[in-house]
Amino acid sequence: MGVPLPSAHILPRRARLASLVSQLRPTHFRAPLTRLNAHRIPTLWTLYRGILRDSPTDTIRSHMREFFRARVNIREQGAVTRELRKAHSRWHVFRKAKAGDEHFQTVCMRYSRMIEGTILQAKTDRVYEEELAWYERMRTRPIMTGGYQKPTYYHGPLPRLKPQPIHITGMITWRRRARRRRLALHEILQEHGMLLEAERKFEDSLAAKIRTKRESFELTYTDDYNDWRSPITQGIRGIAKLLDRDKKRLNTPYPPELLEQIKAARREKIANKTRERERERRGEMTRRLLRRMRQSPPAHRLVQMSPRRRRMDAIARGASEVGYVGKVKRALGFKLRDPDAWQVELGKPENRAMLDRMAEEIEKENVRRRSTPPGSEGNAS
């Protein structure tokens, strides 16, 4: 059963409705909206220049210039319309302020101060982030330890760095994996060559037997043996060249300039450790000294030590060589850097007579006080 055709008086009404609805359909441009002259000319010559002309302060003018520059790559029609409405609303406020409206002038001045504060805060944050990044780079910068990283298949002669740069670690890791793959491929190619040679010999022997029977036999590997062998040979030669480069890298000597840098780093390390020991002897608590003082003898030695010996061992782990620490170290038989350093406790040679006299007076006073019964001095007064 066919569909009945519409009556003649309905067709004009349908045509009229279709014309009205087609006008409401959104226009699909072949190019982005921002490329059309209908958009570019009013935006640049009217809106953008009008905003720059009517901006109350230089701060707002710079901000609006950055506002347009940050949105120059927007292509979506809805987003473009939304941002244009923002710009038009601000331009309306700027024109009102320029015309003398006190309320909008106050709003613009407050807006200008807010932008200045935001700029200052952004500048402060940027400086703070740059300082933090600089401190992080200084904390993690590679330092020569004075050691040698001997050449291997994966790298040439290098100085020992702490921490080791990540690109050097990545290079070594990548070359190690590449060498492993090449050796595996070299072994596979050799195996294929052996299989090809076995197939050729089998084919030759089979052809010799068939010839005795005067029968025909088509040779596959014997006639085109070089063509079959060529890819395997080329692959083996390419891998051999790469392995020769690894051996050359292994046998590369240290350049004289690098040796001098490593030796200078070793001298600087020794000098730095010497200065650290001097600071420790002056009383500075360094990380190394704190770690040493927290240590203890091995367990099999610790169980054999008496409580007094354990306490003396803990005291002797300090950096001082005078006072009670020096006395404990001498009692334990330590080799001191300056065996006569304890004599500073006696004072300077020119003051020793005075110090001895003061020590005698103090001793006499202590003897007198010990010989006097408690409370007798108060009763006598």
Side-chain angles (χ1 to χ4, degrees), residues 62-81:
S62 300
H63 175 70
M64 294 308 299
R65 188 181 291 112
E66 184 63 28
F67 175 86
F68 280 91
R69 187 180 294 113
R71 291 160 177 79
V72 71
N73 293 323
I74 296 179
R75 295 291 182 267
E76 186 182 356
Q77 183 176 351
V80 172
T81 305

Side-chain angles (χ1 to χ4, degrees), residues 193-231:
M194 294 171 61
L195 292 175
L196 181 61
E197 182 66 21
E199 287 290 340
R200 186 184 68 84
K201 291 181 178 180
F202 173 73
E203 192 178 60
D204 289 344
S205 61
L206 184 60
K209 290 182 180 180
I210 292 177
R211 288 193 194 99
T212 58
K213 298 180 181 180
R214 296 181 180 180
E215 296 180 3
S216 63
F217 181 72
E218 183 181 357
L219 298 176
T220 302
Y221 298 101
T222 303
D223 294 343
D224 300 330
Y225 180 74
N226 293 331
D227 294 338
W228 287 94
R229 184 72 185 180
S230 178

Side-chain angles (χ1 to χ4, degrees), residues 140-178:
T140 58
R141 70 187 188 278
I143 298 176
M144 281 189 178
T145 62
Y148 297 91
Q149 196 166 356
K150 296 182 180 181
T152 63
Y153 289 123
Y154 318 112
H155 62 84
L158 293 174
R160 181 69 64 179
L161 300 175
K162 186 179 180 182
Q164 182 170 280
I166 188 64
H167 66 274
I168 295 180
T169 303
M171 176 192 68
I172 296 173
T173 303
W174 186 89
R175 286 179 176 174
R176 183 180 289 113
R177 293 175 181 174

Side-chain angles (χ1 to χ4, degrees), residues 10 59 73-74 102 106 139 144 148 162 202 204 235 251 258 270 280 286 288 304 307 333 342 351 353:
I10 296 179
T59 303
N73 293 323
I74 296 179
E102 295 182 357
T106 305
R139 187 182 68 84
M144 281 189 178
Y148 297 91
K162 186 179 180 182
F202 173 73
D204 289 344
N251 298 324
L258 183 58
I270 295 174
E280 291 174 354
T286 62
R288 188 202 69 86
Q304 300 177 359
W342 63 273
N351 297 332

Side-chain angles (χ1 to χ4, degrees), residues 47-48 51 60-72 74 82-88 90 111:
L47 178 61
Y48 181 68
I51 287 177
I60 294 179
R61 185 176 296 108
S62 300
H63 175 70
M64 294 308 299
R65 188 181 291 112
E66 184 63 28
F67 175 86
F68 280 91
R69 187 180 294 113
R71 291 160 177 79
V72 71
I74 296 179
R82 185 167 53 254
E83 299 301 330
L84 287 177
R85 286 175 180 172
K86 288 182 184 179
H88 276 285
R90 296 181 187 182
Y111 184 51

